[in-house]
Amino acid sequence: MAQALVRFLAAQYLEDDGVEERLIAGCFGIFGHGNVAGLGQALLESELTDPSLLPYVLGRNEQAMVHSAVAYARMKNRRQAWAVTTSIGPGATNMITGAALATINRLPVLLLPADSFATRAASPLLQELEQPGSGDVSVNDAFRPVSKYFDRIWRPEQLPSALLNAMRVLTDPVETGAVTLCLPQDVQAEAHDWPDELFERRVWHLRRPAPESARIEAAAKIIAAAERPVIVAGGGVIYSGATEALAEFCAATGIPAGQTQAGKGSLVFDHPQSLGAIGATGTTAANALVRDADVVIGIGTRYSDFTTASRTAFANPDVRFVNLNVAPLDAIKHAGLDVIGDARESLLALTSRLSGYRVPEAYASSVTDLAAAWEETVSAAYDAGPGEGGRFHQSAVIGLVNELSAPRDVLVCAAGSMPGELHKLWRTRDPKGYHVEYGYSCMGYEIPGGIGVRMACPDRDVFVMIGDGSYLMMPGELVTAVQENLKLIVILVQNHGFASIGALSESVGSQRFGTRYRQRTASGRLDGDLLGVDLAANAASLGVPVIKATDRDELINAIRTAQRSSSSTVIHVETDPLLGAPDSDSWWDVPVSEVSALDSTAAAYDVYQKEKGNQRPYLRPTQ
């Protein structure tokens, strides 16, 4: 059965706009007793026959392998995916976080966890969960709520239907996410005669549904009557290849566009109508304009709480929403007029229908002025001097990486204080140059994500920016980068704690409790000296050259040295966690304790109540 599965996967292709590409690029894996005799043997046979059919990559952590697969799929605009195989038990459950990340971000990945014996001949197995109330439940059932498709192959005869459904979901722009096929250990090794047709070359078509003409007409009517329209560009713009269509739409109409984390790069930073980031981690330009917008045009966005500033960003009491989205779930949000269809096709149709429309001149001038003012703010942040003890200002580190990297290079990040600063400060010059995972914002994603990005785009330098908190979650994947001869430039920012949550903790009155890497003292608290942890030495022990940079000139030289190298490099810098980035003039809803003995918490609750009063349901029907 495992041999049949591998043979089937190697024969799957995806067609988009007439271009065909292999759908399953390869298989990440860590072998244990649950999959070594099944999928392990099958992958070996495949590699000995033709290593290019389904390349195998050995990872160090099961969650990390899923992250790498997801990052690869994102860089390929969901046109290719990887399979990930693990053993039964902890190997399988380690993948659950990665599965949730894939599904939340709507990125395809095929998960192949081993499972307990279908025959139950030797139960209970090593690492098998016994349920007194059910005989057919295993730990793998935990994948059900985080998978877009879930199946368990109890018999070899079930393989064709499971595989066809798996491919259906992996190639669906609306339903894609984690697909989990659980593989009982004994069934993996069973023989069966399948029809030859199962293994023939099979081409799946990427759907590009066109919007209904009546909905385009209705959307155009609303937009044409607008005086202060604003676009919210999400990841769907990039995935559908609609960046050129968006640039042309904005240029033709003068409508400005703010970008979500997933949508950053849908317009290059210096496009005349580009407002940069929007929402809780957005620019003052974008947030000022959406505050008064009379029409918000959401394109390929799911309107997360960061994008909407927890439903406070769009403050005009008469604001209306027009949503262009391939997913009905997102198209109806905020009671918007739903234009359901592919982002590129919808934009092209709307551009044609709005021929001759242009925003008022005064509004266009305000867009230019606000964007220019924000760019001055970014330049000042890039030039920020050192903080206490000569440590870097994090925005200065971001600025140097941005200025020294090439336009097509890729920036990878996921969690901590950097995603917020990067969203507002990073000057994107290429649609795929910004890769920040902020749907699940998973600590530890950065290095395995960088691996996936580099595998997808070997002709681009990949800059992985990671704080010490995230680095300590999953440093072992540096070994995978060394093993696979993958070049990453890792900017390891050490600020001795959790800077992002530290700042949030302070804002909600919790005084940065539990967010600093400090020695425990006789008082029983973590308020002693900084921990004597040498992260640079840790990285070096994993086989990666490390450069320590203590000032601006050293950081410049370190980046240039890493760029010249053909292998991975870690650049270690220390930053001051108390130096924040420019304010977004926005809000994020994090509830504060209503009663507290702490004055700091009581004061924070007063502020919270005031901001909470600005929150709106966005339920007014868009007619």
Side-chain angles (χ1 to χ4, degrees):
M1 187 274 274
Q3 295 161 0
L5 186 153
V6 168
R7 186 174 168 187
F8 173 90
L9 294 181
Q12 305 308 298
Y13 289 79
L14 181 69
E15 178 270 321
D16 176 36
D17 288 345
V19 177
E20 294 181 7
E21 195 168 13
R22 191 183 295 276
L23 175 58
I24 306 299
C27 184
F28 287 95
I30 295 177
F31 296 126
H33 69 280
N35 63 343
V36 66
L39 270 173
Q41 189 277 338
L43 287 166
L44 169 63
E45 276 197 8
S46 177
E47 183 174 290
L48 292 174
T49 302
D50 184 351
S52 68
L53 286 177
L54 201 71
Y56 168 74
V57 173
L58 167 63
R60 269 71 200 167
N61 178 284
E62 292 87 355
Q63 180 190 140
M65 294 191 300
V66 183
H67 292 337
S68 294
V70 167
Y72 186 99
R74 175 171 169 176
M75 287 305 293
K76 289 289 188 175
N77 282 341
R78 306 191 293 201
R79 273 55 170 179
Q80 279 190 302
W82 276 71
V84 185
T85 177
T86 69
S87 188
I88 189 173
T93 55
N94 276 352
M95 288 200 297
I96 291 173
T97 295
L101 182 146
T103 297
I104 286 172
N105 285 285
R106 302 176 189 180
L107 292 165
V109 62
L110 176 61
L111 306 180
L112 303 172
D115 215 319
S116 56
F117 280 31
T119 61
R120 305 179 189 171
S123 294
L125 306 175
L126 174 66
Q127 300 176 330
E128 179 180 355
L129 172 70
E130 291 184 276
Q131 284 277 20
S134 176
D136 65 348
V137 172
S138 78
V139 294
N140 287 352
D141 285 273
F143 282 100
R144 290 181 184 272
V146 294
S147 298
K148 295 298 288 188
Y149 181 79
F150 176 94
D151 205 346
R152 183 178 277 113
I153 316 300
W154 289 115
R155 294 179 57 83
E157 294 93 326
Q158 296 172 336
L159 185 63
S161 65
L163 288 175
L164 292 174
N165 273 306
M167 298 305 110
R168 169 185 61 82
V169 174
L170 290 173
T171 58
D172 189 325
V174 177
E175 292 300 319
T176 195
V179 170
T180 302
L181 300 181
C182 304
L183 307 176
Q185 297 176 59
D186 50 350
V187 178
Q188 287 182 53
E190 287 185 18
H192 185 74
D193 290 329
W194 288 274
D196 289 342
E197 293 85 354
L198 178 64
F199 308 109
E200 291 181 2
R201 189 177 192 272
R202 193 179 304 269
V203 182
W204 300 82
H205 172 69
L206 182 70
R207 292 189 295 110
R208 285 189 177 275
E212 296 179 33
S213 57
R215 299 312 272 176
I216 289 293
E217 186 71 27
K221 184 177 180 180
I222 292 171
I223 296 168
E227 296 185 354
R228 297 179 303 280
V230 172
I231 293 167
V232 177
V237 174
I238 297 175
Y239 296 143
S240 70
T243 54
E244 289 185 11
L246 176 63
E248 292 169 2
F249 178 79
C250 292
T253 62
I255 300 176
Q259 301 162 41
T260 70
Q261 280 279 16
K264 191 169 170 69
S266 52
L267 280 184
V268 292
F269 83 97
D270 55 355
H271 186 285
Q273 278 76 45
S274 177
L275 299 173
I278 193 169
T281 54
T283 72
T284 53
N287 288 335
L289 288 170
V290 301
R291 192 174 297 119
D292 296 325
D294 53 359
V295 173
V296 175
I297 307 166
I299 309 175
T301 178
R302 62 191 185 98
Y303 286 118
S304 76
D305 63 338
F306 263 71
T307 298
T308 68
S310 298
R311 299 197 177 193
T312 63
F314 314 115
N316 186 330
D318 298 318
V319 64
R320 293 190 289 178
F321 295 85
V322 173
N323 298 325
L324 281 56
N325 209 296
V326 72
L329 169 67
D330 298 317
I332 66 166
K333 287 177 179 174
H334 299 166
L337 177 78
D338 54 328
V339 181
I340 299 173
D342 175 75
R344 188 186 69 188
E345 300 305 308
S346 298
L347 270 170
L348 292 174
L350 195 57
T351 303
S352 176
R353 177 59 185 79
L354 283 170
S355 178
Y357 169 78
R358 186 90 185 160
V359 299
E361 189 60 38
Y363 182 64
S365 296
S366 69
V367 170
T368 300
D369 293 344
L370 286 167
W374 178 254
E375 281 306 307
E376 291 179 4
T377 300
V378 173
S379 296
Y382 281 8
D383 294 334
E388 181 182 351
R391 289 184 288 176
F392 281 102
H393 197 301
Q394 188 164 271
S395 65
V397 176
I398 292 171
L400 280 176
V401 175
N402 187 267
E403 291 166 0
L404 294 175
S405 60
R408 292 187 71 253
D409 290 348
V410 186
L411 182 283
V412 178
C413 194
S417 59
M418 275 188 288
E421 295 192 14
L422 289 166
H423 191 208
K424 66 181 77 170
L425 297 178
W426 188 262
R427 289 168 168 161
T428 51
R429 297 155 286 175
D430 181 271
K432 304 304 295 185
Y434 182 87
H435 186 112
V436 173
E437 190 285 301
Y438 219 58
Y440 211 40
S441 189
C442 185
M443 295 178 71
Y445 174 92
E446 293 88 346
I447 293 173
I451 288 172
V453 170
R454 181 70 182 187
M455 291 173 70
C457 302
D459 61 333
R460 300 175 184 234
D461 267 346
V462 179
F463 286 84
V464 174
M465 296 199 70
I466 184 169
D468 46 7
S470 272
Y471 175 83
L472 286 167
M473 293 278 181
M474 217 163 286
E477 292 309 302
L478 285 174
V479 179
T480 303
V482 173
Q483 164 193 284
E484 297 295 328
N485 302 308
L486 297 170
K487 176 185 175 181
L488 304 178
I489 301 175
V490 180
I491 311 296
L492 174 52
V493 177
Q494 186 160 1
N495 52 32
H496 303 281
F498 298 153
S500 174
I501 297 302
L504 178 63
S505 172
E506 193 167 45
S507 73
V508 299
S510 296
Q511 304 174 13
R512 295 183 179 259
F513 174 71
T515 65
R516 289 178 282 201
Y517 292 168
R518 298 278 183 169
Q519 202 75 43
R520 192 174 299 281
T521 62
S523 68
R525 304 196 67 203
L526 299 177
D527 58 358
D529 295 334
L530 294 175
L531 298 181
V533 177
D534 191 341
L535 298 185
N538 173 266
S541 75
L542 300 176
V544 181
V546 178
I547 305 173
K548 285 191 173 185
T550 60
D551 60 35
R552 187 179 181 87
D553 288 340
E554 288 183 354
L555 181 53
I556 291 172
N557 290 333
I559 293 172
R560 287 176 174 161
T561 299
Q563 289 171 316
R564 291 191 296 268
S565 176
S566 60
S567 59
S568 290
T569 304
V570 170
I571 299 172
H572 178 276
V573 299
E574 292 215 21
T575 61
D576 188 337
L578 300 181
L579 297 176
D583 186 48
S584 290
D585 191 18
S586 192
W587 183 66
W588 184 37
D589 190 349
V590 178
V592 180
S593 180
E594 192 169 350
V595 293
S596 174
L598 300 177
D599 291 341
S600 58
T601 305
Y605 180 73
D606 290 340
V607 174
Y608 176 75
Q609 284 294 93
K610 179 181 177 181
E611 296 288 355
K612 189 76 172 172
N614 297 322
Q615 207 165 39
R616 301 181 58 205
Y618 300 137
L619 293 174
R620 180 191 179 201
T622 297
Q623 302 290 336

